Amino acid sequence: MSNTDRENTMNKNTGLESISRETIQEAFRKTKEDMHLPFGELTLITEDRYKDVLEKVQECFVIDEPIGKAAFRKTKEDMHLPFGELTLITEDRYKDVLEKVQECFVIDEPIGKAVGIKWSPFFESFWLKALKTGISLMVVNPEDNDIIGFRINEYSLRKENMPDLNKLDDESLKIKDAFLLYAIGKANIYDHYSTDEAVHFLGLGVTRKYRKRGFGTLLMESGIKLAKNLGISPCYITELRRKMETCVKIQAKES
């Protein structure tokens, strides 16, 4: 699509038929002249920076924005824990949570266990990206601040780039991600539910000494409640593991 076609489409969709690219540029030039920033440069967001801006939207907007904070507060009020405190996972606890992911999720999660997945810098960056969207939860022991369990959620957009499997050095990650991408393609959640955004429930784990007390169920329910309180309604739970396990069985038969 040419710039002219894109402008015409934008104008048709917004009703701003009289606004041309030149008009926008001139309006921005005057705006920039009128503003006096203590630091930095004011610019229009151009197409080459869309990806960077979307990453910042996920990192800075979802839970810092008042609606996000209110959503968590309401979620916390709705949940009744037998012990511990439900909190958002903040940056100062990322390191602790990643240790718990290695301890409670990576070695126990069936698909990863089946392909012999190992912790790696790439795998760590995957979890960090999810944590930075600001909507992941944990339950902590108020006596020593120890992490009882976690529910890692990720806010994502339809247009996000899928990982390039050819860039992965770890063969086990290639296998798991190939199954995951296949399952996501089969689920086709964005088209199926006519949406451009979703909350993905990526990982849930409970520290061994706190298991068999219902914390896993409570964390799962908390993640669903938070999504609903963020305005995602109705909330659908798409089960990818069953699709992935089917893929594993098919692959095993073919091998």
Side-chain angles (χ1 to χ4, degrees):
M1 180 183 289
S2 67
N3 288 335
T4 302
D5 291 338
R6 188 177 289 109
E7 288 172 14
N8 291 336
T9 300
M10 180 189 73
N11 292 339
K12 181 179 180 181
N13 291 339
T14 61
L16 303 177
E17 297 179 3
S18 61
I19 297 182
S20 65
R21 178 177 292 273
E22 290 74 20
T23 302
I24 293 172
Q25 292 287 355
E26 179 62 20
F28 171 69
R29 185 184 63 78
K30 291 180 179 178
T31 301
K32 188 173 182 179
E33 289 175 354
D34 291 341
M35 300 304 298
H36 304 285
L37 305 181
F39 177 74
E41 180 184 1
L42 182 68
T43 70
L44 287 170
I45 299 175
T46 51
E47 189 171 357
D48 61 306
R49 298 307 301 270
Y50 286 175
K51 181 180 177 182
D52 300 327
V53 171
L54 288 174
E55 289 177 355
K56 291 300 180 184
V57 167
Q58 295 182 56
E59 177 182 335
C60 305
F61 177 78
V62 176
I63 209 66
D64 288 339
E65 198 269 339
I67 294 175
K69 291 180 179 178
F72 171 69
R73 185 169 62 251
K74 190 173 188 311
T75 301
K76 189 172 181 179
E77 290 171 355
D78 290 343
M79 298 305 299
H80 304 285
L81 306 182
F83 176 73
E85 180 184 0
L86 183 69
T87 72
L88 285 168
I89 298 175
T90 50
E91 188 173 0
D92 60 306
R93 299 305 303 268
Y94 285 176
K95 181 180 178 182
D96 301 328
V97 171
L98 290 174
E99 289 176 357
K100 292 296 182 182
V101 171
Q102 296 179 63
E103 174 189 333
C104 307
F105 183 81
V106 174
I107 63 174
D108 290 334
E109 196 274 321
I111 302 299
K113 193 174 181 179
V115 299
I117 207 161
K118 303 293 183 184
W119 194 256
S120 66
F122 175 86
F123 209 24
E124 180 174 315
S125 68
F126 168 83
W127 291 102
L128 270 175
K129 177 177 176 290
L131 289 172
K132 287 178 179 179
T133 65
I135 54 173
S136 294
L137 303 165
M138 65 181 176
V139 176
V140 299
N141 185 331
E143 296 176 359
D144 57 11
N145 214 28
D146 187 29
I147 297 173
I148 293 173
F150 58 85
R151 162 83 281 180
I152 297 182
N153 311 309
E154 180 182 38
Y155 174 76
S156 64
L157 301 169
R158 177 197 290 264
K159 294 182 180 180
E160 286 183 13
N161 294 328
M162 291 298 183
D164 184 352
L165 300 182
N166 293 322
K167 294 182 178 180
L168 297 179
D169 296 327
D170 189 324
E171 195 62 31
S172 63
L173 271 177
K174 281 185 180 180
I175 296 171
K176 182 173 182 178
D177 280 2
F179 288 144
L180 181 59
L181 292 176
Y182 175 81
I184 289 173
K186 283 293 185 181
N188 194 21
I189 58 173
Y190 295 108
D191 289 335
H192 186 75
Y193 298 116
S194 300
T195 184
D196 290 320
E197 58 185 352
V199 171
H200 294 301
F201 299 145
L202 294 183
L204 185 153
V206 177
T207 303
R208 293 185 183 280
K209 66 180 180 180
Y210 294 109
R211 292 180 181 178
K212 305 297 182 181
R213 302 189 195 180
F215 286 112
T217 300
L218 288 167
L219 282 162
M220 184 66 191
E221 292 174 354
S222 297
I224 296 171
K225 282 184 178 292
L226 180 61
K228 288 182 176 179
N229 289 332
L230 282 167
I232 299 176
S233 182
C235 184
Y236 300 96
I237 306 299
T238 301
E239 177 58 68
L240 295 183
R241 176 173 292 174
R242 186 174 300 171
K243 294 179 183 296
M244 291 174 70
E245 288 174 345
T246 300
C247 294
V248 173
K249 291 176 182 176
I250 292 172
Q251 181 69 29
K253 286 181 180 179
E254 290 178 350
S255 299

